[in-house]
Amino acid sequence: MGILTTIATMIGSLGLFLYGMSVLSAGIQKAAGDTLKRTLRVITDNPVKGVLTGTFITTIIQSSSATTVMVVTFVNAGLLTVYQAAGVIFGANIGTTITAWIVSLIGFKFKISALALPMIGVGFLAMLLTKTKNRTRDYAEAAIGFGLLFLGLEYLSHALPKPEGSMLSFLGTISNHGIITTLFAVLIGMIVTIILHSSSATTAIVITLVVQNVINFELAAGLVLGCNIGTTIDALLASIGATVNAKRAALIHTLFNIFGTIVVIVFIKPFMQFVLLLTGQAAVAQQVAMFHTLFNIFTTLLILPFTKQFCSLVSVLIKDKEKQITPVHTELTYISLPFMNSPELNLLRAQKEIADMSQLALNMFIQFRRYIEGAETDFNELKTQFSRMENYADEMREELTRFLLQCAQQELSPGSSQNISVFLRMVVELEDITDDCYRLLMLLEKAQKRDMCVDKSDYDTLLPYVNLVNEFLLFVSTNINDRISEEQFNFANSYEDKIDEFKSVLKKETRKKIQTGSDVKYELLMLDMIRHIEKIGDHAFNVAQNLRELQ
């Protein structure tokens, strides 16, 4: 019964620790959501910036698994290249060590309950007094998360049984076999992390075991190395069924940790001595945290200069498919890891898809413009292509709407919540543009079936109007997902006014032709074309209005 009680207490303590991490992560993400999104957007082809980005994001959301899974998802969506993703993944491994330092510096130097309970109390009081959603409430939630995390850590430290003579004898036996001991510890650390889906939680357990004198520093070092390998399981699972590049990004994470582990195991004695030299007379908890940090920094410094070669290696291991077939639609999957949710980062995926949708709408209109300009294009082939693109846009609207509504159900910052409403309206407007582009082509087909030969002079009259709308669509597509300034909105307003004026002129000219005896059916068809082109301009203006409302 005693053993069952101990196991149940340990599971409960670990659950409280992980739940605290989740609440902490959610609170900080909501408070710093806009900062996270801006940080990801500035990633360039400089891997050093990628490392800093990965470190910063993981420090905030407290999970390298969450960061790497999101990176794999972004690579799958085309938001990041494999080369850009590599730096972020390297940085994620460094950022995740912050939990070990929090646990080692605070968790065992003070009476944890004296710190945890006041944090929970202050956080709850702040949430109670703050009725509306704002950053104060988000930081209060983060404070509660911190408190729960430390409370779980205290219960865990009390739940672990004191080592008896037989246990100490067994640990002493397995601790005296050099590299065999280290490999055994790596295996155990890897298995536990795969089960928990959190290297931070496993590292906290390892530090607790060391402080309780259950294991020595050598075993702890091996367990920490295993944690780093085990945490790669989430990225690998996220890459199943994804694109080739997404699989490569996941493999980079795995190879990074395996390569670093192999190198450190070969030089384990001098590496541990270097850790002890840096930590001096510090407690063993800080020695484990330092080992964890130095391992990830050392591996990053070792691989970073050879990032291109590392990416080439994964490209060799995971080859391109002989024939890549463009998917019929984009399926968006909301990413939520066990004990970890990242709604703010999921929104970035939606923004990338909205940008793709705006480009699709622009491309359809450009192809229509080129056709009436006289470009040599097979009409039947163009019709087939438009049909596919329009169906693709319909499916994108359905997928994006479902995905955004799923994001809306999560705890988000007020700005992100408002942005979801804006995104939903933008998706509708963009899909309507593709519908009108398709209808324009159907009007041309209607003219062909009725043997109405559209006069070149009529196309020439229409072209300035079409070019004006084309410029407006290009303006919208260029600024998609960014809040436009007052000056830019006035620019969009001027486009709308010019399009309306041009439409009025063209409609008057068409009515005059009807009055002078021109073919009524033909002129009515031209009026329909003018109306649909003007509607595309209206939808573009509605998107511009939505961009003005972005937070």
Side-chain angles (χ1 to χ4, degrees):
M1 188 65 183
I3 294 175
L4 290 176
T5 303
T6 300
I7 292 172
T9 306
M10 286 176 63
I11 292 172
S13 304
L14 188 59
L16 190 59
F17 177 87
L18 289 170
Y19 181 67
M21 277 186 64
S22 178
V23 174
L24 168 65
S25 173
I28 295 181
Q29 275 192 75
K30 282 181 282 184
D34 294 335
T35 305
L36 283 176
K37 285 181 274 190
R38 283 196 300 271
T39 303
L40 264 178
R41 284 179 184 172
V42 300
I43 297 174
T44 64
D45 285 335
N46 185 341
V48 175
K49 287 186 179 180
V51 170
L52 296 175
T53 300
T55 303
F56 172 73
I57 290 174
T58 309
T59 300
I60 288 179
I61 67 176
Q62 294 287 298
S63 173
S64 61
S65 293
T67 304
T68 51
V69 167
M70 290 309 303
V71 166
V72 168
T73 307
F74 292 160
V75 171
N76 189 51
L79 191 63
L80 294 175
T81 65
V82 175
Y83 184 66
Q84 289 173 324
V88 183
I89 290 168
F90 300 162
N93 283 274
I94 297 173
T96 194
T97 63
I98 189 68
T99 306
W101 282 108
I102 292 171
V103 171
S104 65
L105 291 172
I106 302 175
F108 298 100
K109 281 204 168 185
F110 308 96
K111 184 172 175 56
I112 303 176
S113 59
L115 179 68
L117 294 177
M119 288 186 77
I120 294 173
V122 169
F124 177 74
L125 187 62
M127 290 186 74
L128 204 63
L129 296 175
T130 311
K131 299 296 182 183
T132 58
K133 288 185 178 181
N134 55 31
R135 290 197 174 183
T136 302
R137 190 178 178 87
D138 297 333
Y139 284 123
E141 184 180 342
I144 292 174
F146 258 120
L148 292 173
L149 185 149
F150 288 129
L151 205 58
L153 191 62
E154 180 177 24
Y155 285 135
L156 185 64
S157 64
H158 290 313
L160 289 169
K162 299 294 180 183
E164 300 175 352
S166 58
M167 182 184 291
L168 290 171
S169 175
F170 170 73
L171 291 172
T173 302
I174 66 170
S175 299
N176 296 321
H177 292 84
I179 195 168
I180 302 298
T181 299
T182 304
L183 291 173
F184 174 75
V186 168
L187 180 64
I188 297 300
M190 182 179 69
I191 292 171
V192 173
T193 306
I194 288 172
I195 293 170
L196 295 180
H197 288 275
S198 173
S199 61
S200 295
T202 312
T203 306
I205 294 172
V206 171
I207 292 174
T208 306
L209 290 170
V210 167
V211 171
Q212 298 289 336
N213 291 318
V214 176
I215 60 175
N216 59 22
F217 181 43
E218 185 181 357
L219 270 176
L223 289 168
V224 167
L225 293 176
C227 292
N228 283 276
I229 297 175
T231 195
T232 66
I233 186 66
D234 291 305
L236 290 172
L237 290 174
S239 70
I240 295 173
T243 63
V244 169
N245 281 337
K247 289 183 171 68
R248 287 169 179 166
L251 185 60
I252 283 175
H253 190 209
T254 304
L255 292 180
F256 172 90
N257 286 289
I258 290 175
F259 177 74
T261 298
I262 291 171
V263 173
V264 169
I265 287 175
V266 171
F267 300 101
I268 189 69
K269 292 296 182 183
F271 195 83
M272 289 175 65
Q273 287 171 1
F274 181 60
V275 171
L276 294 173
L277 179 68
L278 289 179
T279 52
Q281 300 300 315
V284 69
Q286 280 100 65
Q287 290 172 358
V288 174
M290 179 63 78
F291 181 89
H292 191 203
T293 303
L294 284 181
F295 164 78
N296 286 295
I297 292 176
F298 168 74
T299 308
T300 299
L301 292 176
L302 201 62
I303 296 177
L304 190 60
F306 308 101
T307 304
K308 284 186 178 178
Q309 291 80 355
F310 204 64
C311 291
S312 298
L313 173 63
V314 296
S315 296
V316 171
L317 294 174
I318 301 178
K319 300 183 185 299
D320 287 312
K321 293 179 182 178
E322 292 183 7
K323 188 178 181 181
Q324 288 278 22
I325 301 172
T326 304
V328 177
H329 64 88
T330 302
E331 184 177 348
L332 293 168
T333 305
Y334 185 88
I335 301 298
S336 179
L337 297 174
F339 315 114
M340 195 62 59
N341 199 4
S342 304
E344 299 285 352
L345 295 181
N346 270 286
L347 278 181
L348 280 174
R349 174 78 193 277
Q351 288 179 268
K352 169 60 172 57
E353 297 296 333
I354 291 171
D356 288 346
M357 197 173 183
S358 72
Q359 190 61 48
L360 176 69
L362 175 63
N363 288 341
M364 286 182 75
F365 194 78
I366 287 173
Q367 289 190 51
F368 166 75
R369 189 204 73 207
R370 286 175 179 167
Y371 183 81
I372 66 172
E373 281 177 338
E376 293 184 7
T377 306
D378 181 83
F379 185 82
N380 289 328
E381 185 180 329
L382 185 63
K383 178 187 167 185
T384 302
Q385 192 174 359
F386 263 51
S387 179
R388 286 175 182 167
M389 293 168 83
E390 203 274 329
N391 287 335
Y392 184 70
D394 289 345
E395 288 163 349
M396 284 184 81
R397 173 178 174 173
E398 184 180 332
E399 283 289 330
L400 273 166
T401 301
R402 180 191 57 76
F403 184 76
L404 287 168
L405 290 175
Q406 193 171 0
C407 289
Q409 293 171 6
Q410 313 303 317
E411 287 288 332
L412 293 160
S413 64
S416 293
S417 295
Q418 181 176 330
N419 284 348
I420 286 180
S421 299
V422 175
F423 292 152
L424 286 167
R425 294 196 298 271
M426 285 168 59
V427 168
V428 173
E429 298 292 346
L430 291 169
E431 197 271 331
D432 285 343
I433 291 173
T434 64
D435 285 344
D436 282 309
C437 287
Y438 184 71
R439 289 188 187 109
L440 283 170
L441 204 68
M442 292 303 98
L443 286 172
L444 293 178
E445 183 185 40
K446 183 178 179 181
Q448 286 184 1
K449 287 181 177 178
R450 296 187 178 184
D451 295 325
M452 295 178 186
C453 183
V454 181
D455 194 76
K456 186 179 183 303
S457 62
D458 287 330
Y459 277 154
D460 290 341
T461 304
L462 210 57
L463 267 175
Y465 183 49
V466 170
N467 287 332
L468 190 62
V469 174
N470 197 132
E471 288 174 16
F472 196 10
L473 285 176
L474 183 61
F475 167 80
V476 168
S477 184
T478 303
N479 293 285
I480 204 77
N481 290 333
D482 288 321
R483 189 177 191 274
I484 61 174
S485 64
E486 188 67 35
E487 183 182 352
Q488 287 175 309
F489 182 69
N490 291 335
F491 188 62
N493 218 353
S494 68
Y495 264 123
E496 172 73 355
D497 291 340
K498 288 176 186 177
I499 290 168
D500 287 344
E501 289 171 10
F502 220 128
K503 178 199 71 173
S504 298
V505 171
L506 290 173
K507 288 178 76 173
K508 285 178 182 177
E509 289 180 1
T510 304
R511 288 194 187 101
K512 283 181 182 178
K513 288 181 181 179
I514 293 173
Q515 290 170 0
T516 56
S518 184
D519 186 343
V520 176
K521 289 183 179 179
Y522 174 80
E523 296 303 336
L524 288 176
L525 185 139
M526 294 303 294
L527 279 173
D528 273 348
M529 289 183 67
I530 293 167
R531 182 173 59 84
H532 282 298
I533 294 169
E534 191 261 343
K535 279 179 66 181
I536 290 172
D538 287 343
H539 294 311
F541 182 68
N542 291 339
V543 174
Q545 284 182 312
N546 288 320
L547 292 176
R548 188 79 183 98
E549 296 174 22
L550 280 178
Q551 296 297 306

